[in-house]
Amino acid sequence: MKILVVGQGGREHALVWKLSFDKEIELFCTPGNGGICEDAKCSVLTNIQDILNFAVREKIDLTVVGPEIYLANGIVDEFEKHGLKVFGPNKKAAMIESSKVFAKLLMSKYNIPTAKFEVFDNQIDAQKYLCKIDTPIVVKADGLAAGKGAIVAKSKKDAYKAIDDIMNKKIFGEAGNKVIIEEFLQGKEVSVLAFCDGKTVIPMVSSMDYKRACDNDRGPNTGGMGAIAPCPYYSKETAEYVYHRILTKTVKALQDEGIEYKGVLYAGLMITKDGPKVLEFNCRFGDPETQVILMLLKNNLVEILQATVEGSLNNRSIKWSDEKAVCVVLVSGGYPDSYKTGFEISGLKSIEKDVVIFHAGTKKVDEKILTNGGRVLNICAKSQSYEQARKVVYDAIKNIYFENMYYRKDIALNLYR
Ligand code: AMP
Ligand code: GLY
């Protein structure tokens, strides 16, 4: 069987790694990175038409899409038109992530718990509205903004500026044609991803992303500086509630709107004192959550992906290890703002075998691995306790070096506080 993974991050390396346990599979990836090219045949293709032509030519049996941008641009619709199997939601269903306004209106229509909000399509009305409310509040661009589209404003002045930046200066381009102004929620954040085949929803083990750049959750938001699974704050009762009141209700709501949701539905939740509420939905696997989630998955991944695409998840039981998984992301100094790349990475060969390294922003040049992005490597381990997994990861990091390397020191530290 031939499988093509689309993307180039740590998430895609984790997908390739997990799929590579099945020796019947021939793996391809586009564009891939310096680590993925050890496990899969990589081709540097970036537009949907070229990827489609490649899949047809190579007779790919299943394509798995990582990044949201391809899904939002209709890669699934194009593949399905040509009779090819592809894992992920179609363009309409991907709107759950590509339009925050669409997602919020859906939640409000179907009574799915989320922060109170208002939608604005012009700057004057949005800024006028600030007179009526208290801060902190959150200003969000409607469209895709590489994870940076939500701005928490502590004061009205900050909120005023956020609206100006998004709607007038267009810092996120067209994504800022509309904004949402929403209630600021307090609590613990958890990422809950689920496989959905249009009807059946099977949640994965819960996880927690460390979004801020610096220790103790300070500094700017990033794509994710680390992750752990399971999330220690996610109780069985909360999971029951999320399954019924959020995940299945959302898939059913989409169905009632004439939209079939297939692929991964990722709910970013805040567990507030009034219960879990949706911060955002993503239409794909999370990064770096996927890295820790897949380390705990006991099943053969391809069987689940196929069942999702074929609509037969109701016959499946998905099993998770009861261990704890920890991932620390090594980044280029300066990330998420500007940073330099092209530095050689050393120490990757001296890693203990209980450590798993997923490459993100790397490339291989003449047998050397060079940095090639903001998030560079994901150092992961699992163990019976968070403490032990954390120790294995941070011990491994002591061996790895590249110029300007930076990482958070507090991943999986001080849990339960
Ligand atoms: P989003 O892109 O909507 O997931 O937002 C990115 C991050 O901003 C979230 O992970 C939260 O940390 C924060 N955030 C978003 N919405 C809210 C909210 N309503 N209240 C508090 N924090 C929020
Ligand atoms: N780690 C957050 C995301 O994948 O969107």
Side-chain angles (χ1 to χ4, degrees), residues 365-385:
V365 178
D366 301 334
E367 297 309 307
K368 287 183 184 163
I369 300 290
L370 307 182
T371 66
N372 190 37
R375 292 193 286 175
V376 176
L377 292 169
N378 306 150
I379 316 303
C380 306
K382 61 177 179 175
S383 186
Q384 281 310 318
S385 68

Side-chain angles (χ1 to χ4, degrees), residues 100 138 140 150 182-185 189 211 221 279-280:
K100 285 189 193 286
V138 187
K140 295 183 174 182
E182 76 175 30
E183 170 197 13
F184 176 79
L185 298 176
E189 276 187 62
K211 286 197 163 66
N221 260 331
L279 293 174
E280 65 162 348

Side-chain angles (χ1 to χ4, degrees), residues 229-230 232 295-296 298 320-326 354 381-392 412 415-416:
M295 289 192 68
L296 300 181
K298 288 186 167 174
W320 302 97
S321 157
D322 60 6
E323 289 165 297
K324 319 291 180 205
V326 171
D354 50 354
K382 61 177 179 175
S383 186
Q384 281 310 318
S385 68
Y386 294 107
E387 292 70 22
Q388 181 56 23
R390 174 186 145 77
K391 183 174 182 316
V392 173
L415 299 172
Y416 310 108

Side-chain angles (χ1 to χ4, degrees), residues 11 68 97 147 191 209 211 222-224 266 280 282 284-289 375:
R11 163 184 55 202
E68 63 276 15
E97 175 168 3
S191 303
D209 180 17
K211 286 197 163 66
T222 69
Y266 164 146
E280 65 162 348
N282 293 319
R284 51 169 174 83
F285 284 105
D287 187 347
E289 290 95 326
R375 292 193 286 175

Side-chain angles (χ1 to χ4, degrees), residues 189-193 204-210 226-236 239 271 289 291-297 320-327 381-387 389 411-413 415-416:
E189 276 187 62
V190 51
S191 303
V192 182
L193 284 66
M204 303 179 209
V205 63
S206 65
S207 58
M208 197 169 102
D209 180 17
Y210 288 72
I228 59 172
C231 171
Y233 312 111
Y234 195 61
S235 66
K236 270 200 175 137
I271 306 178
E289 290 95 326
Q291 289 81 315
V292 280
I293 289 172
L294 292 183
M295 289 192 68
L296 300 181
L297 176 64
W320 302 97
S321 157
D322 60 6
E323 289 165 297
K324 319 291 180 205
V326 171
C327 166
K382 61 177 179 175
S383 186
Q384 281 310 318
S385 68
Y386 294 107
E387 292 70 22
I411 307 300
L413 185 68
L415 299 172
Y416 310 108

Side-chain angles (χ1 to χ4, degrees), residues 269-325:
L269 306 172
M270 186 73 89
I271 306 178
T272 73
K273 63 176 179 17
D274 303 320
K277 296 190 180 179
V278 177
L279 293 174
E280 65 162 348
F281 281 118
N282 293 319
C283 64
R284 51 169 174 83
F285 284 105
D287 187 347
E289 290 95 326
T290 302
Q291 289 81 315
V292 280
I293 289 172
L294 292 183
M295 289 192 68
L296 300 181
L297 176 64
K298 288 186 167 174
N299 303 58
N300 181 332
L301 178 61
V302 70
E303 288 172 10
I304 303 172
L305 300 179
Q306 279 177 312
T308 305
V309 173
E310 286 160 9
S312 59
L313 271 181
N314 59 331
N315 299 323
R316 297 276 153 189
S317 113
I318 303 186
K319 300 246 175 344
W320 302 97
S321 157
D322 60 6
E323 289 165 297
K324 319 291 180 205

